[in-house]
Amino acid sequence: MSITPPVTELNIKLANRGFYKGFNQVVTLGSKILIVVLAIWAAVFPDQAGGLLKTMQGWSFESFGAWYIYAMAFYVFVCFFLAINPATGKIILGDENQKPEFSTFSWISMMFGAGIGIGMLTFSTAEPLYHFASNPDTISGVVAAQSDETLRSVYKWSFFHWGLSAWGCYAIVGLALSFFTYNRNLPLTIRSGLTPLFGKKLEGMLGDVVDISAVIATILGVAVTIGFGISQFAAGMYTISGADWMINAEGSPTNTAMIIALVVVMAASILSAASGVGKGIKWLSNINMVLSFALLLFFLVFGSSMVALKSLFVGILDYVINFPIQAMTYWANSDVEPAATLYKWQSIWWTVFYWAWWIAFAPFVGLFFARISKGRSIREYVMGTMLIPSLMCFIWFAFVGGSAIDLELHGTAAGTILNAGQEAQLFATLKVMLSSGAAKAMSVMVVVLLMTYLVTSADSAVLIINTINSGGDEKQKDKTHVIFWGAAVTVLIAALLIAGGLTAIKSAMLVGALPFSFIMVLMGIALIKALVRDGMRAREEDSGKAVSEKNLEATKS
């Protein structure tokens, strides 16, 4: 019985005239309406919006915490299975003779900058310091908090959050889109990744809903990333300038400081987005990779190198050994200790929040990965998008976070780093390590680096949103559409900051991430189905050729 041919065409309805020429109006207007309504609601009724979003966040944690844990494990498994399997790993994303568009350095730079660059600057210090005081091993009583013995557990959990799970989340979306776009000639948009399951139904409302979900998740995921980034940006500007109006009584950046930083960053990102991937984004990515290595080299030379190296190698070993258990462990809510605190740590404070953040960021980063990965094999793609960025994060966390912990562990910092807000802990570390003038100079470099990461993430997101809205058309869009989405993201972040600060932004993101987490699981299943059926078709074709040759020989004889 012949296997049905794959879907190689999706006719996504696009406007052929007017302001929305080349765009799917249902997806574009649907996304705009939802974002504008959310922004107006948060701005006009900030207390109500902040309260409801926080309630919905709690519901999401309670009801879907386990789903997030197991879904993320599924993404990693699928990516590695397809890379390791000889039959699928060698498949080229594109024509067999297709050459990659970007050099390996630029490819990795753009992935890293668009992926987790901003969060890494904030959390490479903040997360190890937090886990130094509290992590599942200290909560369970396995090790004592804030001691030499705590270091191993610090990195086991830090690496877990910033390693294969995070990058596998992005990789599976990008891999599905790369395959269906470059090997099946389908549009470079999220709905294409579901064609083996839903076929031509994706040309209509079902596909529109999928793409709208991706746009909303992208905007909210980027909002969280930029929210963290501008908070640290404002803290850095305070460190450099000493302007008291930038910091409130609790020592955190004021909303005024963050909104000014937001406007500056988004204005620069709109200009960069208007120049396209091959110009502004590529060059900014290369610049922030160079600056990242410069900052890393500083900590390598002047930081606690021995502690960092030990933490890096032992941490990677512990992470690899414990990953299967960590990836599949879920602590349910409980009234009994330590289970109650373990639930809060995993579902409210750390793991589930991270998983939702990565998922919300995945349509943007995944589509961006697909956009820049044509010509790579599946094996090369998975290794390049998962292993190299994970290793970079591990090195950052070991050297930057390890230096901060060592300064606190031996009393040099005297609590100044631990007591700083998470957005200011990197700058506090520099203050302890250097003289006042040198610390300011290094803080300037960090602020510039942060600026490049912020602009790269924001402008990439604007381009991806327009790609999804236009049914996968990668061509440069009219600058009006670039400006609108840049402004929309700016207004939404500002409104959510007013409604409840970073907490409101995180709550909104968690709500937006949930629908897309289901779409991502379906994309993984669809990709496996497509590759399996391609293998079956190939065997069927080979079998048919063998029968034909046999019949030909029989006829001759």
Side-chain angles (χ1 to χ4, degrees):
M1 181 177 177
S2 180
I3 301 172
T4 306
V7 175
T8 56
E9 185 179 4
L10 275 182
N11 295 313
I12 301 173
K13 187 176 180 180
L14 304 177
N16 54 23
R17 55 190 170 83
F19 180 70
Y20 289 106
K21 182 180 179 180
F23 286 85
N24 180 300
Q25 288 181 289
V26 174
V27 176
T28 305
L29 291 174
S31 303
K32 284 183 176 180
I33 290 169
L34 289 172
I35 291 301
V36 169
V37 168
L38 177 58
I40 293 174
W41 176 52
V44 177
F45 305 103
D47 294 336
Q48 181 191 69
L52 181 57
L53 286 171
K54 190 173 182 179
T55 300
M56 294 177 73
Q57 173 182 317
W59 167 80
S60 175
F61 286 146
E62 181 73 31
S63 304
F64 293 96
W67 163 258
Y68 280 119
I69 297 296
Y70 301 132
M72 290 293 279
F74 171 77
Y75 307 148
V76 174
F77 170 78
V78 170
C79 288
F80 270 115
F81 171 76
L82 295 178
I84 293 170
N85 181 22
T88 54
K90 64 183 180 182
I91 295 173
I92 301 296
L93 299 172
D95 299 332
E96 289 188 7
N97 298 320
Q98 179 75 49
K99 299 296 183 183
E101 180 180 359
F102 300 99
S103 69
T104 300
F105 180 81
S106 290
W107 182 54
I108 293 172
S109 297
M110 285 190 283
M111 287 192 298
F112 197 69
I116 311 182
I118 297 169
M120 184 194 65
L121 275 178
T122 300
F123 288 101
S124 59
T125 309
E127 184 166 353
L129 283 168
Y130 185 95
H131 296 338
F132 186 57
S134 176
N135 68 64
D137 293 330
T138 65
I139 294 168
S140 302
V142 177
V143 296
Q146 298 185 7
S147 65
D148 287 320
E149 291 75 23
T150 319
L151 276 174
R152 291 190 68 163
S153 60
V154 163
Y155 285 100
K156 180 176 73 175
W157 291 104
S158 295
F159 290 177
F160 177 56
H161 290 152
W162 294 80
L164 299 178
S165 299
W167 293 96
C169 183
Y170 303 153
I172 194 168
V173 175
L175 181 57
L177 294 180
S178 295
F179 177 79
F180 290 113
T181 299
Y182 304 130
N183 297 66
R184 293 281 173 83
N185 297 314
L186 293 171
L188 183 60
T189 190
I190 302 300
R191 71 178 79 188
S192 295
L194 302 179
T195 48
L197 302 180
F198 302 105
K200 291 286 188 174
K201 293 179 182 178
L202 291 164
E203 293 179 344
M205 186 56 67
L206 176 61
D208 294 338
V209 170
V210 169
D211 283 347
I212 289 173
S213 298
V215 171
I216 299 303
T218 295
I219 292 171
L220 295 176
V222 169
V224 170
T225 303
I226 293 176
F228 280 127
I230 61 172
S231 177
Q232 189 175 29
F233 185 86
M237 291 305 297
Y238 170 74
T239 300
I240 296 166
S241 67
D244 291 335
W245 62 270
M246 302 184 76
I247 298 294
N248 59 28
E250 289 77 35
S252 299
T254 60
N255 280 348
T256 301
M258 288 198 288
I259 290 173
I260 291 173
L262 173 66
V263 171
V264 171
V265 166
M266 293 305 298
S269 72
I270 291 170
L271 292 174
S272 178
S275 68
V277 174
K279 295 179 181 178
I281 295 175
K282 175 183 175 180
W283 286 107
L284 277 173
S285 297
N286 289 343
I287 289 169
N288 63 36
M289 183 62 80
V290 170
L291 289 177
S292 295
F293 277 119
L295 183 59
L296 188 60
L297 182 62
F298 166 80
F299 277 97
L300 177 64
V301 175
F302 298 103
S304 305
S305 300
M306 295 308 298
V307 172
L309 286 170
K310 179 180 177 181
S311 298
L312 177 63
F313 291 112
V314 174
I316 290 175
L317 179 64
D318 287 343
Y319 170 62
V320 171
I321 292 172
N322 289 283
F323 177 78
I325 297 174
Q326 289 176 292
M328 297 300 293
T329 297
Y330 172 70
W331 290 298
N333 199 0
S334 174
D335 295 326
V336 180
E337 292 294 350
T341 303
L342 286 171
Y343 165 77
K344 292 176 183 177
W345 188 94
Q346 183 185 57
S347 290
I348 298 176
W349 301 332
W350 290 102
T351 307
V352 173
F353 162 69
Y354 271 137
W355 286 183
W357 186 10
W358 304 155
I359 288 169
F361 221 44
F364 147 51
V365 181
L367 202 152
F368 186 71
F369 280 9
R371 167 64 185 82
I372 64 175
S373 298
K374 189 176 183 179
R376 310 277 176 181
S377 70
I378 288 180
R379 184 173 297 113
E380 182 184 11
Y381 170 88
V382 170
M383 298 308 168
T385 58
M386 291 179 65
L387 294 185
I388 296 175
S390 293
L391 182 60
M392 282 295 298
C393 286
F394 296 164
I395 293 171
W396 265 89
F397 273 66
F399 279 90
V400 181
S403 295
I405 289 175
D406 191 53
L407 291 170
E408 288 288 2
L409 191 62
H410 293 94
T412 307
T416 56
I417 303 174
L418 278 171
N419 294 331
Q422 68 176 26
E423 70 282 339
Q425 286 179 321
L426 176 57
F427 300 109
T429 303
L430 293 172
K431 281 184 177 180
V432 174
M433 293 175 65
L434 302 169
S435 65
S436 176
K440 281 193 176 184
M442 284 301 299
S443 296
V444 169
M445 191 182 86
V446 172
V447 167
V448 172
L449 174 58
L450 187 59
M451 179 75 171
T452 63
Y453 274 132
L454 283 163
V455 173
T456 302
S457 293
D459 61 11
S460 301
V462 169
L463 292 175
I464 293 307
I465 289 167
N466 278 318
T467 299
I468 297 172
N469 286 338
S470 57
D473 182 6
E474 302 174 59
K475 296 187 186 75
Q476 187 76 8
K477 303 300 183 294
D478 186 285
K479 289 181 174 57
T480 305
H481 297 285
V482 172
I483 292 169
F484 172 84
W485 282 112
V489 171
T490 305
V491 172
L492 177 64
I493 296 173
L496 289 172
L497 282 172
I498 294 169
L502 286 176
T503 300
I505 297 177
K506 290 192 290 184
S507 299
M509 177 275 296
L510 287 162
V511 175
L514 185 58
F516 197 73
S517 68
F518 291 96
I519 293 172
M520 286 175 60
V521 168
L522 293 176
M523 291 177 81
I525 294 170
L527 181 59
I528 293 172
K529 179 181 178 181
L531 291 169
V532 168
R533 290 177 74 85
D534 276 358
M536 293 170 65
R537 290 188 194 96
R539 287 191 295 272
E540 186 179 74
E541 185 178 341
D542 291 342
S543 177
K545 287 180 180 178
V547 171
S548 297
E549 291 172 358
K550 186 176 180 181
N551 290 338
L552 182 61
E553 290 177 4
T555 302
K556 289 180 179 178
S557 61

